Amino acid sequence: MLRSFIPFLFAAGALAQTPPGSFAYTKNNLGAAFQDAEITPGVWISPDDVSDQPALWPASKKMRRDSKYMIIMMDLNIPDSDVTTASYYDTLVPGLATNTTTRVHWWGGNYTIENGQFVNSSDSLAEYTAPRPRDSTNHTYTLYLFDQPAGYVPPQAALDGTYYSQSTDTRFNFSLAPIVEAVGEPVAATYFLSDEV
Ligand SMILES: *[C@@H]1O[C@H](CO)[C@@H](O)[C@H](O)[C@H]1NC(C)=O
Ligand SMILES: *[C@@H]1O[C@H](CO)[C@@H](O)[C@H](O)[C@H]1NC(C)=O
Ligand SMILES: *[C@@H]1O[C@H](CO)[C@@H](O)[C@H](O)[C@H]1NC(C)=O
Ligand SMILES: *[C@@H]1O[C@H](CO)[C@@H](O)[C@H](O)[C@H]1NC(C)=O
Ligand SMILES: *[C@@H]1O[C@H](CO)[C@@H](O)[C@H](O)[C@H]1NC(C)=O
């Protein structure tokens, strides 16, 4: 009985830790947990448990103690109609489903590993906003850990605080492409689903 589980465990280690069909990709798991709920890829988490930003830790040996990292959390299921009118849908950064786009929920830099946790040493570029989808569907929230190479300078808009406020409309239609171009694919990720309270 036990033996039949072993190949499954090996196979599971090789699965994508990003949602199927999403833009950025990694096979490395990011350890993440809200106070009362651990985040594992695809798990549903009650909206009651997502109010405060999750704790993060390296779940893979690929992450180095002497490196700096950035964390980004994205909603990949924003209805296009929340952002613009139909004639502009094709300009939007694609979400997971047709006629959906993205919203950045959290962007923090200068994270290092201390005592087995990711700890930041500067304020976020976009402060954490709890999921609260308004369209009676489950949304997919993906947490990406990116390398922050020495000398990496965030885009001027981010430094200017454009994305900082929890409620700003500038968080919609957020593209990871310039970040991936600057620092590479995410080094780790995980994702969860949540819906309305
Ligand atoms: C996407 O939106 C366009 C424009 O409103 C609409 O014509 C089309 O049917 C929608 N597609 C889906 C799959 O909802
Ligand atoms: C969405 O973002 C893309 C660039 O990432 C931009 O070209 C496009 O104009 C934006 N669309 C809207 C409606 O803001
Ligand atoms: C890292 O911290 C420095 C100093 O506070 C700041 O200038 C820089 O913008 C931060 N980088 C990121 C990616 O947050
Ligand atoms: C770390 O980031 C959080 C928000 O994500 C912020 O409240 C806190 O002040 C930051 N820590 C430092 C040392 O800037
Ligand atoms: C979201 O998913 C959970 C778990 O599968 C389910 O119980 C819940 O009914 C779903 N919510 C909506 C709005 O579909």
Side-chain angles (χ1 to χ4, degrees):
M1 196 57 194
L2 185 63
R3 172 172 289 195
S4 69
F5 280 97
I6 291 170
F8 170 75
L9 290 174
F10 281 120
L15 288 177
Q17 305 295 306
T18 39
S22 59
F23 167 73
Y25 174 83
T26 178
K27 286 182 177 174
N28 298 327
N29 179 248
L30 174 63
F34 295 105
Q35 195 169 338
D36 295 315
E38 182 157 353
I39 303 171
T40 55
V43 70
W44 178 81
I45 298 184
S46 163
D48 297 331
D49 290 336
V50 299
S51 312
D52 298 318
Q53 63 200 44
L56 308 168
W57 65 91
S60 144
K61 296 215 156 44
K62 298 221 160 70
M63 282 152 257
R64 298 176 307 274
R65 295 176 62 87
D66 57 353
S67 298
K68 282 187 180 171
Y69 297 94
M70 292 194 290
I71 182 76
I72 295 186
M73 182 170 120
M74 301 274 284
D75 182 338
L76 302 178
N77 294 93
I78 298 288
D80 284 357
S81 55
D82 283 6
V83 182
T84 190
T85 49
S87 55
Y88 292 99
Y89 286 3
D90 63 356
T91 72
L92 293 172
V93 175
L96 283 178
T98 308
N99 293 347
T100 67
T101 184
T102 62
R103 185 170 199 273
V104 63
H105 270 253
W106 188 20
W107 184 2
N110 294 306
Y111 277 79
T112 51
I113 301 170
E114 279 166 41
N115 301 319
Q117 299 269 319
F118 285 107
V119 177
N120 58 322
S121 60
S122 67
D123 196 5
S124 50
L125 299 167
E127 61 176 339
Y128 176 81
T129 314
R132 39 173 178 256
R134 295 174 299 188
D135 59 346
S136 306
T137 68
N138 274 304
H139 285 205
T140 302
Y141 298 90
T142 308
L143 288 143
Y144 303 93
L145 186 79
F146 286 100
D147 261 325
Q148 183 186 314
Y152 170 75
V153 179
Q156 191 59 42
L159 293 174
D160 289 346
T162 306
Y163 308 107
Y164 189 80
S165 146
Q166 295 188 5
S167 57
T168 177
D169 283 350
T170 57
R171 287 186 176 209
F172 288 118
N173 189 33
F174 187 86
S175 177
L176 286 178
I179 293 166
V180 168
E181 202 171 304
V183 305
E185 290 285 330
V187 291
T190 191
Y191 63 100
F192 65 96
L193 309 180
S194 196
D195 55 9
E196 285 175 290
V197 184

